[in-house]
């Protein structure tokens, strides 16, 4: 029922929830990328961000969030790859130290092995 003082109801603005999801996935990926699993979140964010860019052309909103999601996702993937490379390098250079009798022995073995390289 319409009364003279009521404002006319406006249609709901179009939303781009994929863009928000891309930002969340990208940020989550970046925060967890040091544990290498962030690359998986980053890959999901990359796909979601690409989809949200297409949606933003049609809907007219969410382009900025989609781009931020894409950039965060790319950063998450890059940091995860670097973390995995560092872990592999570290494991390769300290592999003879993995059977220590004590933590002190492990630390001194790692220091010795890493000082040689």
């Amino acid at each position: 029922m319409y009364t003279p003082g009521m404002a006319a109801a406006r249609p709901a603005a179009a939303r781009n929830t994929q863009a928000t999801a891309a930002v969340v996935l990208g940020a989550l990926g970046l925060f967890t990328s040091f544990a290498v699993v962030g690359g998986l979140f980053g890959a999901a964010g990359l796909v979601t961000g690409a989809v949200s860019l297409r949606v933003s052309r049609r809907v007219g909103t969410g382009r900025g969030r989609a781009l931020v999601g894409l950039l965060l996702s790319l950063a998450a993937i890059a940091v995860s790859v670097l973390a995995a490379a560092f872990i592999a390098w570290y494991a390769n250079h300290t592999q003879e130290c993995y059977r220590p009798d004590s933590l002190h022995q492990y630390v001194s073995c790692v220091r010795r092995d890493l000082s040689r390289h």
Side-chain angles (χ1 to χ4, degrees):
M1 181 157 108
Y2 178 77
T3 58
M6 287 180 64
R10 292 184 228 176
R15 294 187 179 181
N16 189 346
T17 56
Q18 290 93 349
T20 304
V23 171
V24 169
L25 286 169
L28 185 62
L30 194 56
F31 287 129
T32 59
S33 60
F34 295 102
V36 183
V37 296
L40 298 174
F41 289 117
L46 198 63
V47 170
T48 307
V51 168
S52 67
L53 271 178
R54 293 182 131 203
V55 171
S56 71
R57 288 187 197 119
R58 183 173 38 89
V59 175
T61 184
R63 180 172 164 72
R65 283 179 287 145
L67 290 174
V68 168
L70 281 171
L71 291 175
L72 286 172
S73 297
L74 286 171
I77 292 168
V79 172
S80 290
V81 167
L82 289 174
F86 174 75
I87 290 169
W89 175 86
Y90 181 83
N92 186 42
H93 285 85
T94 61
Q95 68 189 42
E96 67 185 41
C97 300
Y98 291 142
R99 294 187 200 156
D101 295 332
S102 68
L103 180 62
H104 178 71
Q105 182 183 0
Y106 173 76
V107 170
S108 63
C109 180
V110 168
R111 284 185 181 154
R112 183 186 70 240
D113 283 356
L114 292 180
S115 67
R116 283 192 257 161
H117 299 287

